[in-house]
Amino acid sequence: MQARETAIKQFLSQAGTKFIIPVYQRNYDWKRKQCEQLLEDIKNVPIGQQYFIGSIVHKRANSLSGNQELVIIDGQQRITTLTLFLYVIAEIFKENNDELYEEIWDFYIQNKHDNSQEKLKLKPIISDFEVFVNLVNGNLDQIPNGNRILDNYLYFKEKISSYELAKQLYANFNHLTIVEIALQQEDDPQKIFQSLNSTGLELSQADLIRNYLLMNLDYGYQEKIFQNYWAVIEKNCIK
């Protein structure tokens, strides 16, 4: 395990990097309360100082592609929320002909030079990914009401009400820092995940079982098992 303090802008803007939310993670579920706190933190960044907003734990995926794929063990809620925040800032900049729109889009929303079909830097779990794609493509009418990704996007749209505020918030964003924890192949992600989540939003029994069964499998095999077995079990249980 390796840990270091780093600027969130440096972590999220890594060229060619994709942030993968593995299938054993629960859906994105931050509510307005957590978004309010994050936005308040960004507003209150002291002038010219760094501001710590938490930790992100990841492990490099085995990938044959040219992109670096980081599987997010802990921090998916924060990464997803910051991506929504940045997307709203980018929209405001575009409306005001600010060239920083392209910076946000090319460094935080997508991999500019990625020639694959999935250029987006963030890849949430399947159901959230479909919503995220519809969001960035402007297909809001295809997203069901009550979806957390849509709700929190609309929250940021409501609260970031002016170009001047957007500029200030983006400047403050550049001073946010995290502790980045990179797991090595020999590290046990299951133990680390359970320890880190013991103080976060409570995991359901289904979450714990899914994590236990899928977490230690190779990333590609995780998706296959999830699609063919676990997703079917969840669907039948909901019925």
Side-chain angles (χ1 to χ4, degrees), residues 59-148:
K59 190 172 187 178
R60 189 185 299 270
N62 295 324
S63 173
L64 297 178
S65 70
N67 293 311
Q68 173 179 247
E69 295 184 344
L70 299 183
V71 177
I72 305 302
I73 307 299
D74 187 73
Q76 73 131 324
Q77 307 290 335
R78 185 172 291 106
I79 289 177
T80 304
T81 306
L82 283 170
T83 301
L84 295 174
F85 163 81
L86 288 166
Y87 181 64
V88 169
I89 297 290
E91 286 187 317
I92 296 172
F93 284 172
K94 185 177 183 180
E95 292 167 0
N96 288 274
N97 300 314
D98 189 324
E99 293 181 355
L100 284 175
Y101 156 75
E102 295 181 358
E103 174 181 293
I104 297 175
W105 188 261
D106 290 338
F107 286 98
Y108 299 110
I109 308 300
Q110 68 175 6
N111 284 306
K112 181 177 182 179
H113 301 295
D114 187 348
N115 295 320
S116 70
Q117 291 184 337
E118 293 183 1
K119 296 173 71 71
L120 295 175
K121 299 196 71 167
L122 177 65
K123 186 182 179 182
I125 65 172
I126 296 169
S127 57
D128 285 342
F129 183 64
E130 293 172 355
V131 172
F132 188 56
V133 170
N134 279 325
L135 178 66
V136 298
N137 288 331
N139 301 322
L140 302 189
D141 58 330
Q142 296 185 29
I143 304 175
N145 292 331
N147 179 273
R148 294 290 184 203

Side-chain angles (χ1 to χ4, degrees), residues 172-187:
N172 289 358
F173 165 81
N174 290 322
H175 292 281
L176 300 178
T177 67
I178 59 167
V179 169
E180 176 190 358
I181 302 174
L183 302 187
Q184 308 303 308
Q185 290 302 315
E186 64 272 15
D187 292 324

Side-chain angles (χ1 to χ4, degrees), residues 24 190 206-218 221-222 225 229-230 233:
Y24 58 76
Q190 178 74 28
D207 291 329
L208 293 171
I209 295 170
R210 183 182 64 244
N211 296 347
Y212 180 78
L213 293 175
L214 299 179
M215 183 176 286
N216 289 318
L217 302 177
D218 289 340
Y221 193 47
Q222 285 176 4
I225 294 297
Y229 299 100
W230 187 265
I233 292 172

